[in-house]
Amino acid sequence: MTETQILENKLDVYAIRQQFPILSRDVKDKPLVYFDNAATSQKPRVVIDALSNYYQQYNANIHRGIHTLAEEATMAFEATRDSVQAFINASEREEIIFTRGTTEGINLVAYTWGRQNIGEGDEIIVSVMEHHSNIVPWQILCKEKKAVLKVIPVNEEGDLIVEEYQKLLSDRTKLVSIAHVSNALGTVNPVRRIIELAHDAGALVVVDGAQSAVHLDIDVQQMDCDFFAFSAHKLYGPTGTGVLYGKKRLLESMPVFLGGGEMIKEVSFEKTTYADLPYKFEAGTPNIADTIAFKAALEFTSSIGKQRIRDHEMELLSYATSRLTEIPGLKIIGQAKEKISVISFIIDKLHHQDIGILLDNQGVALRTGHHCTQPLMQRFGISGTTRASFAIYNTKDEIDIMISGVKKAIKMLS
Ligand code: PMP
């Protein structure tokens, strides 16, 4: 790249920050420094406006109405499905199922495909770095079906040990369910390779995309995953809505999930028939407003471009890593070969919760605790970490504020 191209490609972070109203508020009389993006990102004005515009202009229930408001709401809701299809490069719009988020998407697969296809002695593989949302549904299923849950280990750096995964695969493996990116360590897992190996063994693969959809280019056809679940709220979109992608032939072959309105063709006491995809899996009134506003979030992300988002965030990650490493007694948990902008750390003799509270007093929002990954914390022999996770609107100046906050906290607590 020439110098001019680099400059043109450079992000105007300060212009982007203007689009996020919340970033101008103070916390404890200090300007907010929001580093809890892996838990949920902040929302740009376009998303907030889309949400309020729906309620102010065309609030109506979707799909069944013939009046103007119902038609406008239906069109806007279905337009999000088209945007999601393009965003993850799904081949069919029917493959996009709206859910409440990643957790519901994974549970949907467990309760439908899982109940139909998992039997006694079958094996499901997850990894030790999974979020509880990608452990507990499979534990429930395994208990019910007398199946076995197997666990891929990670090394000290936080990389999955692929050779150990290969050893776990057998003709008893029916499913592999794996995080694309770890929320606690930031590790990017080699999902393409994991999927290839699973398919060779005759198993299907669920990818938990909760942390990857905002940072990485997602192409479900190229990845060849069987299912991909993610949430809008980690992607500059609203809470309470998300997506389960599934290959059409699998979704078609699966039994229904929740029963009720929207998911039926005809109901009688003798026999009920079910709607075609995607409505078969969308029982009841969905989260119309948030799903409509999700489209604005996808457009916001695409208008900046994932590569530019990544470049900016990687610059922040590498700056934060080198600054944190300067601090005596501080240890970074998770130094995988490929990472996104999540940095987890522990400090000698200090409890992560105390650090979190002292940083909050300085306006810095960090996440502390086990990050819904207790088995991973057990693997590292710790009860939790302090985690900073960066988004498109964060800056190096904010990292400096966090660093001086951490140094101050160490002085106060030791
Ligand atoms: N998986 C991962 C890797 C996550 O980070 C999260 C959210 N922290 C989830 C699953 C669950 O997502 P949600 O709470 O939006 O359903």
Side-chain angles (χ1 to χ4, degrees), residues 38 101-103 131 133 179 181 183 208 210-211 231 233-234:
T102 312
T103 304
H131 188 279
S133 294
V181 166
N183 64 310
D208 170 353
Q211 294 294 336
S231 308
H233 71 94
K234 296 182 196 281

Side-chain angles (χ1 to χ4, degrees), residues 241-256:
T241 188
V243 171
L244 175 71
Y245 156 84
K247 284 181 180 163
K248 193 172 171 188
R249 65 178 168 78
L250 291 170
L251 293 173
E252 277 174 344
S253 73
M254 281 153 53
V256 295

